[in-house]
Amino acid sequence: MALLEVERISCTYGDSSALHDFSFEVVQGEIAALLGPSGGGKTTALRAILGFEPILKGEIRIAGEVMSRPGFNVPPERRPVGMVFQDRALFPHLTVEQNIAIGIRREPKADQDRVVRNLLEIVGLEHCISRFPHELSGGQQERVALARALAPQPRLLLLDEPFASLDIDLRERLSFEVRNILKETGSTAVVVTHYQDEAFAMGDQVGIIEDGTILQWDTPFNIYHRPVSRQVASLVGRGVFIEGVLREAGTFDTEIGRIRDEHHDYPHPPGTRMDILLRPDDVLIDPEGKISATVIEKAFKGDDTLYTLRLPSGTRLLALASSHRDLEVGEEAQLGFDLEHLVAFSRSSGI
């Protein structure tokens, strides 16, 4: 059963439309990620769920109870929703223990102590109970903010760009840690981010948002390997489109040879010109490969290297390869291809 239901809502931000015909659901105990560029409507969606933005059309329900509809808005303080803000908003003059307990301060002191100590154990900060926020690292502050949001046991937890101020390595590690904490506590959550790795690491379901509309709502695997449109394919991950011509039964003629898609049917007649998406992990640098290309750029990333390669025709490809082998710019490379998850769109229709 869906705990959160956002049904075809529309709302404005200033004089412009921020969300239109915007819908998604989050099942009890699952984590959803809203992924998209800045200004796409992600934060407006969170504000609408919180009750800070009225909606002009549609309906928002939590646990079956209407929270928002046109002309009706349950105040934010009466919604069973917790929030982790982008800046964490910890009180600098309060200790970790006091920050976490702020939302349950009307409970008996014994109950407060029990909740705080349980959450500190879950987030791994028992030793920080008496510290102040300025005495904590960014990652520790993030875990305190999460514990504080969880303390009142909200039905739904919202996280707005929670790791935006952290460095990349810490952000990646915290994505997994916070997901594990949310799963351990049985929380239902929506996280907003414009970082793809963060959305994929945390979300059971991911919504791709642009211009106030959800373009695709799906699992991270399907978002990456089975985008429903060229627009989604371009927004998620890296890749290059090459031209192909559709033949019978999902076979394509391309400049890298004849390739076949055994997993999809294409509703186009033979001879249709197609754009075929090749991700960096589809392109293999293989000494036994039959296609030659020239290395024109390289980006060393430690575990692997991202190469930009140019085919004799001038077409550019991207290849992600182990950094154990180091190719130089200008060097010739032989290529193979692993095209198990082929993505192709008609050049005329875009789908």
Side-chain angles (χ1 to χ4, degrees):
M1 176 181 176
L3 177 78
L4 172 66
E5 299 168 276
V6 178
E7 185 177 319
R8 306 191 65 152
I9 69 169
S10 296
C11 64
T12 58
Y13 195 79
D15 295 328
S16 60
S17 173
L19 301 173
H20 46 91
D21 202 25
F22 191 90
S23 299
F24 70 93
E25 305 185 334
V26 185
V27 174
Q28 173 74 46
E30 288 203 339
I31 303 169
L34 302 181
L35 172 64
S38 298
K42 305 183 304 297
T43 297
T44 302
L46 280 199
R47 289 177 58 83
I49 296 167
L50 277 167
F52 291 141
E53 295 288 343
I55 62 175
L56 304 178
K57 294 172 61 178
E59 197 168 88
I60 297 174
R61 296 182 294 274
I62 298 177
E65 182 179 351
V66 175
M67 297 286 115
S68 299
R69 67 162 63 107
F72 175 79
N73 195 64
V74 174
E77 66 272 14
R78 289 178 47 205
R79 298 190 179 206
V81 179
M83 182 73 189
V84 178
F85 296 95
Q86 182 173 335
D87 62 0
R88 298 185 280 276
L90 298 176
F91 294 100
H93 63 291
L94 299 182
T95 65
V96 166
E97 178 181 22
Q98 292 166 334
N99 264 286
I100 295 174
I102 197 74
I104 54 172
R105 59 190 179 278
R106 292 186 177 88
E107 301 294 324
K109 186 63 168 65
D111 290 341
Q112 292 183 42
D113 292 344
R114 175 181 52 79
V115 170
V116 168
R117 292 183 183 280
N118 180 55
L119 286 170
L120 283 173
E121 182 179 351
I122 290 173
V123 301
L125 293 177
E126 307 98 310
H127 59 291
C128 297
I129 188 169
S130 298
R131 295 184 188 176
F132 290 90
H134 72 274
E135 299 176 306
L136 304 175
S137 68
Q140 289 172 329
Q141 290 179 18
E142 196 63 54
R143 290 196 288 270
V144 172
L146 178 62
R148 182 182 61 184
L150 290 171
Q153 296 184 307
R155 298 295 301 272
L156 176 68
L157 186 65
L158 307 179
L159 301 92
D160 185 12
E161 301 277 6
F163 314 125
S165 63
L166 305 177
D167 63 68
I168 293 175
D169 289 340
L170 181 56
R171 194 163 63 222
E172 182 175 327
R173 188 170 75 248
L174 273 178
S175 296
F176 290 106
E177 289 181 5
V178 169
R179 175 181 168 84
N180 290 337
I181 291 167
L182 293 174
K183 289 298 183 180
E184 183 176 346
T185 56
S187 301
T188 306
V190 178
V191 58
V192 156
T193 180
H194 60 271
Y195 294 107
Q196 174 188 304
D197 290 348
E198 194 172 292
F200 285 2
M202 292 190 69
D204 298 301
Q205 299 287 318
V206 175
I208 304 299
I209 300 177
E210 189 172 55
D211 297 330
T213 300
I214 292 182
L215 304 178
Q216 185 172 350
W217 186 268
D218 216 324
T219 64
F221 182 92
N222 286 345
I223 292 285
Y224 186 81
H225 287 296
R226 298 167 187 163
V228 298
S229 67
R230 188 195 307 267
Q231 189 176 7
V232 173
S234 298
L235 286 171
V236 176
R238 296 174 295 236
V240 174
F241 284 102
I242 65 169
E243 184 177 346
V245 178
L246 179 66
R247 300 306 180 192
E248 69 285 345
T251 300
F252 302 89
D253 286 337
T254 76
E255 64 180 292
I256 62 172
R258 177 162 288 190
I259 58 180
R260 179 176 174 78
D261 186 349
E262 299 180 355
H263 302 288
H264 302 93
D265 293 321
Y266 294 90
H268 310 292
T272 299
R273 295 173 66 199
M274 306 287 287
D275 281 335
I276 299 164
L277 178 65
L278 297 184
R279 302 280 195 193
D281 48 322
D282 295 328
V283 182
L284 310 177
I285 295 179
D286 179 1
E288 303 299 321
K290 298 181 180 180
I291 302 295
S292 296
T294 304
V295 177
I296 58 174
E297 290 179 7
K298 59 186 289 190
F300 181 75
K301 298 179 179 296
D303 293 340
D304 46 45
T305 302
L306 180 67
Y307 292 100
T308 304
L309 304 144
R310 184 174 58 227
L311 297 175
S313 66
T315 298
R316 295 190 178 196
L317 301 178
L318 299 175
L320 196 63
S322 168
S323 64
H324 290 292
R325 183 179 181 191
D326 188 25
L327 299 177
E328 298 298 332
V329 172
E331 187 174 346
E332 290 293 310
Q334 297 303 117
L335 305 182
F337 300 89
D338 181 359
L339 302 175
E340 181 179 352
H341 300 289
L342 200 63
V343 177
F345 303 97
S346 164
R347 302 197 85 191
S348 58
S349 67
I351 59 175

